[in-house]
Amino acid sequence: MLDRLPFLIGLRYVRAKRRNHFISFISLTSMLGLMLGVAVLILVLSVMNGFDHELRTRVLGMVPHSKIESPGGLTDWRPLAERLMERERVIGAAPYVEQQGMFSVGGRNEGAMVNGIDPEWESRVSIVDENMRLGRLDDLAPGEWKVVLGSILARRLSVGVGDRVTLLVPEASITPAGVFPRLKRFTVSGIFSVGADLDATLAYAHIEDMQTLARLGDAVGGLRLELDDLFAAGSETQAIINHLGAGYQGLDWTYSHGNLFQAIQMEKRMIALLLTVIIAVAAFNIVSTLVMVVTDKRADIAILRTIGATPRSIMGIFMVQGLAIGVIGILVGVVLGVLLALTVSDLIGWVESTFGIHFLDAGVYFISELPSKLIWSDVRNIVTAAFVLTFLSTLYPAWRAARVQPAEVLRYE
């Protein structure tokens, strides 16, 4: 019976109505603090995980993991692509010609990076064909001078499929009439949308058309590679360059988007740390609660000691009471946080459509929708951290309760 005493009395203290309503208020505050802290931490980490996931699938699905180039261009790129595809980490390769330029139509001008691609090869390294809103990537054919625009770029130019746009490239053409910028008329054959800033800065044309425009002949600008592990891009790119020898150079995705990914990771850690402090404050409010309960229950403690309860049992009673308060708050917080994490994207979408508010601008945040991805290991870590903080907060008040001397208390009763 004495072994069960801490649980029976500790849980009874949690349920019992107290004469001192202030103690009840502090207990409720501690429970609500833990609940909100746990729920908000789960929600925020899920949103940060969503940003991380979207960066990998959307942005890095369009941006090559690695690029292999040669200063004079690659003239015999097919055998090289086949050699690179034999490497264990390389799962895709495709040729490209990049050309920075400016699209102009009806007095509207927008800068963009035009990628010359081979539609048959591009699906190996990019998700653009999976995100075509209008038209198909296969509509790009050599000699037809067609272009696929990002949705934001097309909207800013006020063009659609079938419209014609003029591409000006920053290279001069010398003619009998003088020096003029090189330009070419394209027909819009498709529009893609990945919900990222690339929709405003990227366009695709057939690689042979871009070779003609860039005066490369049969050479291509380089090969874009997709790897099985994007975090191995740096080491794998260097290994490929070392294997190919002199005359080649390589770049990986960290040069163009590495800072963004590192920023998201750093923000995730810092936000997790700050919100953990909030949980710690709520958990240590239990200290105040239990200290006041110990003071209020000194007579009960003395009576229990006189009938045989050990200091260890007394300590266990108040540890059980504190842990019960904490566990209730943690469990409710987990349920609330998980529900919010699973529904926040739909909730924000409903608010945007109902009130005409747009929270995320793709040009600023790289994506246009609030993402959320619940990772159960994060939930486990949050619950573990909150429980440990709650457990630590019960030790001092319980220790003080165990040191209560029955003779001193009962002398004045």
Side-chain angles (χ1 to χ4, degrees):
M1 181 65 183
L2 290 178
D3 293 336
R4 299 173 55 193
L5 186 67
F7 294 95
L8 294 174
I9 299 181
L11 294 176
R12 182 178 179 182
Y13 279 173
V14 174
R15 299 191 305 268
K17 295 182 179 180
R18 298 185 179 89
R19 296 185 300 271
N20 190 336
H21 296 289
F22 184 69
I23 298 177
S24 300
F25 175 75
I26 296 297
S27 299
L28 181 61
T29 302
S30 302
M31 192 179 299
L32 291 176
L34 278 170
M35 179 192 72
L36 292 176
V38 169
V40 171
L41 185 53
I42 291 175
L43 175 61
V44 171
L45 289 186
S46 297
V47 171
M48 298 303 295
N49 290 331
F51 272 101
D52 177 72
H53 177 73
E54 293 300 318
L55 173 64
R56 298 189 193 186
T57 56
R58 293 193 186 188
V59 178
L60 295 182
M62 300 288 288
V63 175
H65 294 173
S66 178
K67 296 194 296 185
I68 305 300
E69 301 175 342
S70 179
L74 301 177
T75 54
D76 194 13
W77 60 269
R78 292 180 183 271
L80 177 59
E82 293 175 358
R83 286 174 55 193
L84 295 179
M85 286 286 291
E86 294 175 356
R87 298 183 65 88
E88 181 180 358
R89 288 198 174 276
V90 179
I91 59 177
Y96 71 92
V97 174
E98 285 185 344
Q99 181 67 64
Q100 187 74 38
M102 181 173 66
F103 286 103
S104 178
V105 57
R108 291 176 292 273
N109 302 298
E110 291 291 336
M113 176 65 73
V114 184
N115 282 341
I117 61 169
D118 187 328
E120 295 182 4
W121 289 73
E122 188 65 16
S123 60
R124 305 181 184 184
V125 299
S126 173
I127 61 171
V128 62
D129 58 331
E130 302 172 8
N131 292 273
M132 294 294 296
R133 179 179 293 179
L134 296 173
R136 297 182 305 124
L137 199 63
D138 293 336
D139 292 338
L140 298 177
E144 296 187 5
W145 298 99
K146 293 181 178 180
V147 66
V148 173
L149 303 178
S151 58
I152 298 177
L153 179 60
R155 185 173 69 246
R156 291 175 179 174
L157 293 171
S158 297
V159 296
V161 173
D163 294 334
R164 295 178 65 84
V165 295
T166 301
L167 175 64
L168 293 85
V169 298
E171 295 182 12
S173 296
I174 301 176
T175 68
V179 180
F180 293 92
R182 193 181 307 170
L183 52 86
K184 184 63 182 178
R185 296 273 285 179
F186 284 83
T187 300
V188 178
S189 64
I191 295 175
F192 71 87
S193 176
V194 292
D197 72 317
L198 299 175
D199 294 339
T201 60
L202 198 58
Y204 291 94
H206 197 277
I207 191 169
E208 293 187 17
D209 293 342
M210 296 307 297
Q211 285 173 321
T212 301
L213 186 63
R215 298 176 180 176
L216 292 176
D218 294 332
V220 299
L223 289 175
R224 298 196 294 181
L225 306 179
E226 183 173 1
L227 308 178
D228 61 349
D229 182 5
L230 61 92
F231 294 106
S235 59
E236 181 64 15
T237 301
Q238 188 59 49
I240 291 173
I241 296 303
N242 293 337
H243 176 71
L244 295 177
Y248 294 92
Q249 60 188 21
L251 294 173
D252 61 83
W253 65 272
T254 59
Y255 284 90
S256 58
H257 292 82
N259 290 338
L260 174 64
F261 183 81
Q262 293 173 2
I264 290 177
Q265 293 297 311
M266 180 61 70
E267 289 176 3
K268 179 181 177 181
R269 296 189 187 99
M270 294 306 298
I271 290 175
L273 178 61
L274 293 175
L275 293 178
T276 302
V277 172
I278 295 176
I279 294 177
V281 171
F284 284 108
N285 277 342
I286 296 176
V287 176
S288 303
T289 301
L290 293 182
V291 167
M292 287 186 288
V293 171
V294 169
T295 303
D296 189 56
K297 300 294 185 180
R298 284 171 61 88
D300 295 352
I301 295 171
I303 294 172
L304 289 172
R305 289 294 307 278
T306 58
I307 62 175
T310 63
R312 181 177 178 180
S313 298
I314 300 299
M315 190 172 180
I317 290 172
F318 293 95
M319 289 181 66
V320 167
Q321 182 182 358
L323 288 174
I325 295 172
V327 167
I328 294 172
I330 292 170
L331 290 179
V332 176
V334 167
V335 173
L336 180 61
V338 169
L339 289 176
L340 288 174
L342 294 175
T343 60
V344 65
S345 298
D346 296 332
L347 181 62
I348 294 298
W350 177 81
V351 172
E352 289 181 340
S353 61
T354 302
F355 298 99
I357 302 172
H358 198 65
F359 290 100
L360 296 179
D361 182 359
V364 177
Y365 297 100
F366 278 76
I367 58 176
S368 57
E369 300 174 355
L370 184 68
S372 178
K373 182 180 180 181
L374 181 66
I375 298 179
W376 289 106
S377 60
D378 286 344
V379 177
R380 183 190 65 232
N381 294 336
I382 292 169
V383 170
T384 300
F387 183 81
V388 169
L389 291 172
T390 301
F391 175 78
L392 293 176
S393 66
T394 65
L395 294 179
Y396 174 71
W399 176 77
R400 283 194 55 180
R403 288 174 56 86
V404 170
Q405 299 298 323
E408 295 181 3
V409 175
L410 297 177
R411 180 186 306 171
Y412 303 103
E413 292 294 328

